[in-house]
Amino acid sequence: MHEDVPIRMAATVMLVRDDEVSKDIEVFMMQRTLKAVFAGGLYVFPGGKLDDIDGGSHIEHLCDGLTDEEASGLLQISSGGLAFWVAAIRECFEEAGVLLARHADTGEVVRFDTPEVIERFEEARHLVHEGELSLTELCRRENLRLTTDAIHYVSHWITPAGERRRFDTRFFVAR
C-alpha cells in the first residue's frame, strides 16, 4: 500500500458534441499509452495536474466570463479556482490538440481548418507541452481569450488512498 502519497491538484475536461446524423451526443476520450505509470491503457478524458503558471493575475485577464473569485466560489474553495479551468484548457490542448479559446477580435472559437493554422498550432502545442511556451504567451501571440465561460464544472473526485499516484481532480464539460 502507498499510504503517504502526496495528492496533486488536477483538472479534466469532458469534450462533447452533437452528432448531426444520429442526433446523439458524442464524448471524446483518449487511450493512455500502455507504458503510462498511472492508468496505462485506460480510456480517459484529457486532463492532468495543475501547474503553478495556471493560476494568478497574469492569466485572469485572458479568461472570458469568469474571475478567480467566481471560479473559487463554484468550487467552494477560498481562492485559486480559476487555475482549474485554465489547467483543463491547457491539458486539453497539450494532450488532445483541442484549444478551448476564441479570437479576441472576432469572438470566433479557434478552428484548425487550414494547413497553415494546423502547423502553427501544432508547433505551439508541443512548445506548451514542453514548458517552452506558456498558455498566457500563446494567447498574447495569437490574440486569444480562453473560453472559461463555456466550460462548466461537473464534479470533484479524489483518487482513493493506496494508489501510487493520487489526484484531487475537478471535472468539467465543454462543447
Side-chain angles (χ1 to χ4, degrees), residues 11-12 15 40 44 47 62-63 66 70 82 97 104 107-108 115 119 125 131 134-135 148 159 166-169 173:
T12 296
L15 299 175
V44 297
L62 296 171
C63 298
L66 191 64
E70 293 164 335
L82 190 58
E108 292 184 30
E119 183 178 329
R125 175 183 175 200
S134 71
L135 193 56
T148 49
T159 310
R166 295 190 66 205
F167 296 94
D168 181 335
T169 307
V173 65

Side-chain angles (χ1 to χ4, degrees), residues 6 18 78 80 89 164:
D18 295 321
S78 61
I89 292 169
R164 282 186 241 186

Side-chain angles (χ1 to χ4, degrees), residues 60-127:
E60 186 170 359
H61 71 281
L62 296 171
C63 298
D64 276 348
L66 191 64
T67 65
D68 184 67
E69 182 178 353
E70 293 164 335
S72 299
L74 290 169
L75 301 182
Q76 299 179 352
I77 59 177
S78 61
S79 65
L82 190 58
F84 287 90
W85 270 260
V86 173
I89 292 169
R90 179 184 49 74
E91 288 285 346
C92 189
F93 182 51
E94 288 179 12
E95 292 184 356
V98 175
L99 182 56
L100 300 170
R102 61 177 58 99
H103 297 282
D105 295 335
T106 65
E108 292 184 30
V109 296
V110 174
R111 297 197 191 292
F112 303 135
D113 53 3
T114 67
E116 184 270 333
V117 171
I118 292 168
E119 183 178 329
R120 190 172 77 240
F121 278 96
E122 189 61 24
E123 180 181 334
R125 175 183 175 200
H126 291 293
L127 292 173

